[in-house]
């Protein structure tokens, strides 16, 4: 992604739309700031699915997070749910950066398929086979829904 240091919404969301072409057939996997970007994107655009890893809801008082633009307004959980075909979330109770309460707020707000761990930290240093299985299942679901959508058009 462009702008990796600051992860600004004003740069990431247009990139997701214009360069990556995220649409109804796209499963967006977002980690940390990428999860915030994925949620904000899905507030306004239909996507095939979201896989949110280490998602959170506030800037936590960090000036860089505040400047990113993701946290300057309330989350529109209903819009995100309505625009995302399916939503899975991965969180860990021992995440050194994110409060459990914020991760659970995302899960509750989105009624996400929650995959909760005790020992994955911020999901930076370990393999995540469960995440791959979730993405594969979402992709299979999207693929099987596509013929029905094609027949209806």
């Amino acid at each position: 992604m462009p702008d990796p240091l600051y992860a600004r919404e004003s740069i990431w969301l247009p990139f997701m739309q214009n360069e990556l072409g995220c649409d109804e057939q796209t499963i967006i996997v977002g980690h940390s700031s990428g999860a915030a970007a994925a949620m904000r994107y899905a507030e306004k655009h239909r996507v095939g699915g979201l896989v949110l890893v280490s998602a959170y809801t506030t800037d936590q008082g960090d000036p860089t997070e505040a400047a990113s633009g993701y946290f300057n307004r309330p989350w529109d959980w209903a819009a995100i749910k309505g625009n995302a075909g399916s939503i899975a979330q991965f969180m860990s109770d021992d995440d050194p950066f994110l409060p459990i309460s914020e991760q659970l707020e995302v899960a509750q707000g989105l009624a996400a398929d929650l995959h909760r761990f005790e020992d994955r930290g911020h999901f930076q240093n370990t393999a995540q086979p469960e995440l791959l299985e979730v993405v594969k299942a979402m992709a299979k679901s999207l693929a099987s829904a596509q013929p029905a959508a094609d027949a209806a058009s």
Side-chain angles (χ1 to χ4, degrees), residues 3 6-11 59 61-72:
D3 191 39
Y6 298 104
R8 287 172 289 200
E9 178 181 11
S10 63
I11 295 173
D59 64 29
D62 181 277
T64 301
E65 293 287 343
S68 72
Y70 298 114
F71 308 105
N72 61 5

Side-chain angles (χ1 to χ4, degrees), residues 110-131:
L110 297 177
D113 174 19
L114 182 61
H115 300 260
R116 185 173 180 174
F117 300 91
E118 296 178 356
D119 59 352
R120 303 285 176 97
H122 198 60
F123 293 89
Q124 293 174 304
N125 299 318
T126 57
Q128 309 301 328
E130 301 89 352
L131 190 146

Side-chain angles (χ1 to χ4, degrees), residues 89-104:
Q89 180 182 351
F90 287 75
M91 67 168 282
S92 187
D93 292 348
D94 68 341
D95 191 314
F97 307 114
L98 305 177
I100 292 172
S101 60
E102 290 197 24
Q103 296 178 78
L104 291 173

Side-chain angles (χ1 to χ4, degrees), residues 47-94:
V47 297
L50 297 175
V51 179
L52 308 171
V53 183
S54 297
Y56 54 110
T57 57
T58 73
D59 64 29
Q60 302 173 58
D62 181 277
T64 301
E65 293 287 343
S68 72
Y70 298 114
F71 308 105
N72 61 5
R73 61 199 181 279
W75 293 95
D76 189 344
W77 303 123
I80 298 167
K81 288 190 294 189
N83 283 332
S86 56
I87 304 171
Q89 180 182 351
F90 287 75
M91 67 168 282
S92 187
D93 292 348
D94 68 341

